Amino acid sequence: MPLHITGDPAADELLSTDPLALIIGMLLDQQITMEAAFAGPAKIRDRVGALEAPAIASYDPEAFVEVFRQTPSVHRFPGSMAARVQSLCTAITDEWDGDAAAIWTRGEPDGPEVLRRLKALPGFGDQKAKIFLALLGKQYGYAGGGWRAASAPYGDEDSHRSVADITSAESLAKVREFKKAMKAAAKQKD
């Protein structure tokens, strides 16, 4: 199923067809808009020439920061996020033979196992791993047993909590409303 996250058809096509692009987009999804984060892999590919875990892992770190700084920037924190992407690509290269999809396909893992594998990756805490698992299950064709429970509450049907639920401009607006309400509720607790 084609993804519709960035508003840029070329960037969305890359996310839909390249598992590494999707997982890098998820890593970048912090302190910037979802659209900008998930458009990042296309910018990296266009500036580096390819989107391959071993190539990114071995890229000169200073030069890779410059890739992130070019206008329009890949992320508002180019230094730290370039390092995180390289760490992620190093783990994918070393542990998954450079194949990001192997994280959720090798050995036909169930949802809890994929969640465990995701949480072992640099930059993927519990919440980010659950959101990504929900994205895999809801939109990327992953059907391992127990994925909804493992990714709860992000795997819940008919929810509008995260990028896993964005399939159109309308669903994007619903996700934004949910996030806004959550922030307002958190402020009231403080």
Side-chain angles (χ1 to χ4, degrees), residues 2-176:
L3 298 174
H4 300 283
I5 299 172
T6 68
D8 174 351
D12 283 339
E13 172 67 19
L14 179 63
L15 296 170
S16 299
T17 59
D18 188 331
L20 181 61
L22 189 64
I23 204 164
I24 289 173
M26 187 72 228
L27 179 70
L28 294 172
D29 188 16
Q30 58 189 49
Q31 299 182 334
I32 59 174
T33 66
M34 288 178 284
E35 299 94 326
F38 283 90
K43 292 175 188 170
I44 294 168
R45 179 205 55 202
D46 294 347
R47 296 170 188 177
V48 171
L51 198 66
E52 297 170 354
I56 292 171
S58 63
Y59 209 86
D60 176 79
E62 290 178 20
F64 199 59
V65 171
E66 292 308 312
V67 166
F68 270 61
R69 283 192 174 129
Q70 289 177 28
T71 304
S73 65
V74 174
H75 199 279
R76 68 187 278 200
F77 299 109
S80 63
M81 294 311 291
R84 287 183 184 188
V85 169
Q86 282 194 291
S87 293
L88 174 65
C89 287
T90 297
I92 291 170
T93 299
D94 294 348
E95 299 165 28
W96 301 101
D97 302 318
D99 179 10
I103 297 164
W104 57 90
T105 61
R106 187 178 293 161
E108 299 181 21
D110 64 10
E113 174 61 16
V114 173
L115 182 64
R116 186 195 66 72
R117 291 175 180 186
L118 289 168
K119 288 167 60 173
L121 295 172
F124 276 74
D126 188 59
Q127 184 171 335
K128 189 175 288 283
K130 285 182 175 187
I131 292 169
F132 192 74
L133 177 56
L135 178 59
L136 292 173
K138 288 181 173 184
Q139 297 194 53
Y140 219 70
Y142 173 71
W147 73 264
R148 281 195 191 274
S151 65
Y154 303 99
D156 294 351
E157 289 188 65
D158 301 321
S159 68
H160 292 95
R161 296 177 176 276
S162 72
V163 68
D165 303 307
I166 298 173
T167 57
S168 65
E170 180 182 297
S171 59
L172 171 61
K174 288 180 180 179
V175 168
R176 291 229 183 278

